[in-house]
Amino acid sequence: MSKTRAKTQPKPILNASLPAQFRQFRLALAREPGHPEGDAEVAYIIVAPLDSEDRIDARLWREHRDACRVVRQRPDQQDKHGHLVHRPGGGWAFHYDDGETSVPDDVGYHFADERFVVGEYVSLNEGGKMHTYRVTAVSYL
């Protein structure tokens, strides 16, 4: 495998080495102007630990940062792989592994207070524009 490819592909995570609180959850674009029915193909898949109230567990995130990952899916683009990052003040954001910038690309709006259960809605600031997503799936690793 070339060095370039090795840099762009995340290292595999052994699920058995992660605490049981880790989940994979999917966020799909909810109804908004231009998408009256939402869009299941505009989505994020996130791997992160959830606490007993289904909120992102900051303590476990600190212990297992590298395992807290995100994939940004768009129908007309290649998937973007990145990491869940904790911001000053307790906020959460997604930083993609493209090496272009150290600034998070997508920022969760009040993610520290959000519950990640099927049917809940969350908001993301994507390049200065807010979008609402619906949690469509949550599963154990």
Side-chain angles (χ1 to χ4, degrees):
M1 179 183 308
S2 74
K3 287 182 183 181
T4 304
R5 181 162 167 76
K7 276 186 171 181
T8 61
Q9 294 298 315
K11 295 180 208 164
I13 300 291
L14 300 175
N15 293 353
S17 68
L18 296 174
Q21 293 89 336
F22 266 77
R23 303 286 184 273
Q24 176 176 294
F25 44 101
R26 186 172 195 281
L27 310 176
L29 186 66
R31 181 177 53 196
E32 68 176 20
H35 295 95
E37 302 299 319
D39 190 338
E41 292 183 16
V42 176
Y44 293 90
I45 298 172
I46 304 163
V47 173
L50 298 180
D51 65 16
S52 62
E53 296 180 348
D54 298 308
R55 291 180 173 87
I56 299 172
D57 188 318
R59 180 187 61 81
L60 282 174
W61 171 86
R62 275 189 290 282
E63 294 173 18
H64 302 277
R65 286 174 206 224
D66 195 47
C68 298
R69 301 207 175 154
V70 62
V71 176
R72 182 178 191 230
Q73 298 179 320
R74 299 295 183 267
D76 56 347
Q77 301 171 9
Q78 187 172 1
D79 289 356
K80 286 180 88 170
H81 295 263
H83 287 86
L84 178 67
V85 294
H86 202 215
R87 297 174 50 133
W92 295 96
F94 306 145
H95 179 70
Y96 300 104
D97 301 331
D98 55 15
E100 291 179 19
T101 177
S102 62
V103 177
D105 297 275
D106 300 321
V107 179
Y109 183 73
H110 293 288
F111 263 30
D113 301 323
E114 296 291 356
R115 295 184 65 229
F116 291 89
V117 295
V118 173
E120 289 291 319
Y121 290 87
V122 299
S123 295
L124 282 158
N125 183 328
E126 300 170 341
K129 187 172 180 189
M130 292 299 289
H131 295 279
T132 303
Y133 286 81
R134 185 169 168 266
V135 180
T136 60
V138 179
S139 60
Y140 290 89
L141 295 185

